[in-house]
Amino acid sequence: MHPVLSTYLFVNRKLSAALVGEVARAKASAIELFCSRGHFDYHSCEDARELASWLNGNSLTLHSIHAPTTRDSYPRRESGTPLLISDPERIRRQEAVDEIKRALDLVECVSFRYCILHVARSRDIADQRRWDAAFSSLELLSLFARQRGVMLALENTPGDMATPANLKHFLEETRLMNVKLCFDAGHAHLEGGVVPGLEAIRELIVTTHIHDNRGERDDHLPPYEGTIDWNSVLAAMPADIPFVFELKEPAAVIGSSDLQAFAATLQGMRTVFEKFEQALTQT
């Protein structure tokens, strides 16, 4: 297993060389960059080259980026004006597409394989207008990404629209090129079960988001701190799928400028990596 850690863990602060070093000390092999400009200015090729230097200095790679979900660029924002590729309003939808293209252009300075996309918010209704809007956006984005050697991966999210089954049906109907799926275990746990969700789309999965919860809120806890049966999940996972750990900033860290405040979480992740390795060896 080659564990990947999402910088979503640090999204409320600027990404730095020190934080990347902490990821390396946690024994991750790569990162997924969460594209929020308050966290990392993905508009800046200079910043991207700096990130490449940090990664290289810590023997890490950039596995993927998570496309921006809001147009606000300030750290410590819990929410912002959404960027939605399925927005029925053409102007707002085009704004989302343009911003995702800017994020994809990072690959000119630091290489990565996947771009993770949200199709909808939890409250969005799965109507045909939204699916048509998503198709229109993805037609443009899939070509743009393919020309840069990047594959798009749609993430299953809570709510009626972006369920594993709906995303599979959408891809089968549209036959979009260069678009696959990112299986989010925590979200599936909130919406019908992890293993059933996984089995529904296993042939379309190219990457994952791994986190836990107690079946009530999207807590983004480390595995084994919620109620997901990880032994069953790991046994059902397709072989050689990347495990991308997408954790939320611990409550004890909020407001602290001390990087050591992350030490317990990152040390805990080393234990999780070892447990996953052991479970995978036994399957």
Side-chain angles (χ1 to χ4, degrees):
M1 186 184 76
H2 300 287
V4 182
L5 188 65
S6 168
T7 68
Y8 183 65
L9 177 63
F10 315 118
V11 74
N12 289 324
R13 60 195 68 214
K14 281 284 189 182
L15 190 62
S16 65
L19 286 172
V20 172
E22 290 298 318
V23 172
R25 278 186 282 279
K27 301 301 183 184
S29 62
I31 69 167
E32 176 174 288
L33 177 67
F34 194 92
C35 289
S36 166
R37 292 186 66 199
H39 170 58
F40 180 84
D41 187 6
Y42 53 88
H43 285 202
S44 169
C45 198
E46 180 180 348
D47 285 5
R49 285 192 290 267
E50 190 172 43
L51 173 61
S53 176
W54 298 342
L55 294 170
N56 185 58
N58 286 283
S59 300
L60 295 170
T61 60
L62 183 59
H63 168 73
S64 49
I65 65 169
H66 193 302
T69 58
T70 70
R71 58 176 61 87
D72 293 321
S73 59
Y74 304 102
R76 303 195 178 281
R77 279 280 182 94
E78 288 299 318
S79 61
T81 307
L83 292 167
L84 282 175
I85 62 171
S86 62
D87 198 315
E89 175 56 51
R90 186 185 63 81
I91 293 175
R92 291 198 298 263
R93 184 171 70 247
Q94 187 60 50
E95 184 178 1
V97 168
D98 290 345
E99 195 65 17
I100 293 167
K101 284 181 176 179
R102 293 186 186 100
L104 284 164
D105 274 337
L106 273 173
V107 80
E108 303 295 338
C109 303
V110 53
S111 63
F112 55 91
R113 183 69 187 93
Y114 302 107
C115 175
I116 314 306
L117 294 172
H118 286 187
V119 172
R121 298 165 298 181
S122 59
R123 63 178 177 270
D124 290 333
I125 298 171
D127 63 33
Q128 192 57 47
R129 289 188 315 144
R130 288 194 175 276
W131 287 119
D132 290 345
F135 175 72
S136 177
S137 298
L138 288 166
E139 269 196 313
L140 299 171
L141 287 170
S142 61
L143 176 60
F144 189 88
R146 185 173 57 170
Q147 290 170 341
R148 287 153 179 78
V150 177
M151 177 175 286
L152 303 181
L154 308 182
E155 177 185 343
N156 59 294
T157 53
D160 292 335
M161 188 164 172
T163 65
N166 283 350
L167 292 176
K168 178 181 180 180
H169 178 73
F170 173 69
L171 291 186
E172 289 176 344
E173 287 290 305
T174 59
R175 299 185 181 181
L176 283 162
M177 300 291 292
N178 198 46
V179 183
K180 297 293 185 180
L181 298 180
C182 169
F183 178 69
D184 190 298
H187 295 164
H189 189 49
L190 295 170
E191 300 288 333
V194 185
V195 173
L198 174 60
E199 293 292 354
I201 60 172
R202 59 180 296 116
E203 72 277 9
L204 294 169
I205 300 169
V206 293
T207 189
T208 62
H209 280 162
I210 303 297
H211 53 95
D212 213 334
N213 60 67
R214 299 179 180 91
E216 298 173 355
R217 296 191 307 271
D218 191 18
D219 298 311
H220 285 256
L221 301 171
Y224 305 105
E225 291 190 12
T227 55
I228 293 176
D229 179 354
W230 288 104
N231 286 340
S232 296
V233 172
L234 294 173
M237 279 284 186
D240 301 321
I241 286 292
F243 289 87
V244 181
F245 294 85
E246 189 184 55
L247 310 179
K248 187 173 287 185
E249 182 180 70
V253 173
I254 295 173
S256 172
S257 60
D258 183 4
L259 295 187
Q260 288 303 307
F262 287 99
T265 297
L266 292 170
Q267 179 60 41
M269 288 313 302
R270 293 180 64 170
T271 302
V272 169
F273 299 159
E274 292 168 3
K275 285 184 176 180
F276 272 38
E277 286 276 15
Q278 184 178 18
L280 289 165
T281 301
Q282 293 172 353
T283 57

